[in-house]
Amino acid sequence: MSKQMTEMLKGTLEGIVLATLSGRPAYGYEITARLREQGFSDIAEGTIYALLVRVEKRGLVDVEKVPSEKGPPRKVYSLNAQGREYLDEFWRTWSFLTERLEQLREGGG
Amino acid sequence: MSDVEEYGFISKLIGPKKRWRAYKARAKQLPENYRAAVEAIERYMMHFVPTDGDSDASRFEDLADLFEQAAADGRSIREIVGENPVEFVEAFVENYSAGGYVPARARKRLTEAIERAAGQGA
């Protein structure tokens, strides 16, 4: 992953993860795997895990422990009302940013 | 965590220690190279200043959760930690701590230990 990509992802990864949860709940590695499938190939599971801990602390997701066939129970994360609100705001901000950036690209300001 | 609320002051002192020992026991159960990775991360984490016993203990419990699950599913250490273990641990620790001073040699030590555990180094 390029340095620039890493830097840009830092600011948007939270929104990306919440967006992947908006369809249906998932456990940590499921989210990592989904993101990898979508082309974020270098994302570490640990990074996503740390991010999930953070959004849990901020009350944007609900967590349920679900027993797994092998190994310890899995924490399944789902987006709650507060998380949806945050995600809406994230998309509004994103639209604003992309619009402005497109303008810059086309007209140079 | 509920222990602390239920049993008051004494267990406030004892609680984190108990949880620390429980975490160490879990780390011991991990496959050899996963344990090596966890211990390297643990060493690195010691540089961060904890804000309180509770969140400090959950930091290590969450670390154990992550590695236990990944080991059970057979995911590689690189898949968990990524190419830059320093970045990973710093993002991880941010959730629990006010942060602390990390000497450059500690970064180097973490990077090398993960290289060894992931089987990519000498």
Side-chain angles (χ1 to χ4, degrees):
Chain A
M1 206 156 34
S2 75
K3 177 93 179 138
Q4 199 173 49
M5 177 71 100
T6 313
E7 289 301 317
M8 283 199 186
L9 266 183
K10 258 184 206 161
T12 49
L13 200 53
E14 219 168 74
I16 292 172
V17 165
L18 292 180
T20 58
L21 282 176
S22 70
R24 61 195 156 95
Y27 68 92
Y29 186 68
E30 242 179 322
I31 299 169
T32 313
R34 272 189 215 168
L35 291 178
R36 284 184 183 157
E37 267 169 35
Q38 285 163 20
F40 298 101
S41 48
D42 291 327
I43 284 184
E45 184 189 359
T47 307
I48 300 299
Y49 186 85
L51 196 148
L52 286 166
V53 168
R54 184 156 67 241
V55 294
E56 181 190 349
K57 287 194 171 182
R58 284 167 47 195
L60 305 178
V61 293
D62 293 331
V63 183
E64 197 192 345
K65 278 203 172 184
V66 175
S68 69
E69 294 151 43
K70 45 182 180 174
R74 286 179 171 138
K75 280 189 194 165
V76 173
Y77 298 85
S78 56
L79 203 61
N80 60 25
Q82 217 177 317
R84 282 186 196 284
E85 230 169 80
Y86 180 94
L87 186 59
D88 285 344
E89 196 195 327
F90 172 79
W91 286 129
R92 279 198 300 276
T93 311
W94 179 251
S95 301
F96 173 83
L97 265 178
T98 46
E99 246 169 62
R100 294 305 127 116
L101 286 174
E102 268 313 311
Q103 272 176 15
L104 270 177
R105 177 153 72 177
E106 283 161 18
Chain B
M1 245 181 270
S2 54
D3 278 9
V4 175
E5 288 152 18
E6 277 170 41
Y7 304 110
F9 178 71
I10 296 294
S11 63
K12 223 172 221 166
L13 295 173
I14 306 276
K17 251 190 200 169
K18 242 175 146 171
R19 290 170 69 183
W20 171 255
R21 278 198 295 269
Y23 150 75
K24 288 300 273 182
R26 288 170 71 187
K28 241 188 204 161
Q29 296 294 313
L30 288 167
E32 179 72 36
N33 56 332
Y34 288 79
R35 188 180 51 165
V38 164
E39 282 170 358
I41 293 166
E42 177 193 308
R43 265 198 306 280
Y44 189 72
M45 278 182 168
M46 292 303 180
H47 293 284
F48 294 91
V49 181
T51 43
D52 67 274
D54 257 356
S55 79
D56 193 41
S58 11
R59 164 156 62 118
F60 291 102
E61 287 162 0
D62 287 349
L63 180 69
D65 276 349
L66 173 63
F67 272 82
E68 277 172 357
Q69 197 67 72
D73 292 340
R75 290 194 292 278
S76 75
I77 288 170
R78 279 295 170 201
E79 270 185 281
I80 314 167
V81 172
E83 287 312 309
N84 189 339
V86 168
E87 222 165 67
F88 153 65
V89 183
E90 288 184 354
F92 193 91
V93 162
E94 232 179 274
N95 294 321
Y96 310 93
S97 146
Y101 170 69
V102 184
R105 81 184 131 72
R107 292 206 177 87
K108 193 162 166 272
R109 195 160 67 168
L110 174 66
T111 307
E112 286 168 357
I114 294 294
E115 251 166 43
R116 278 194 302 276
Q120 295 187 357

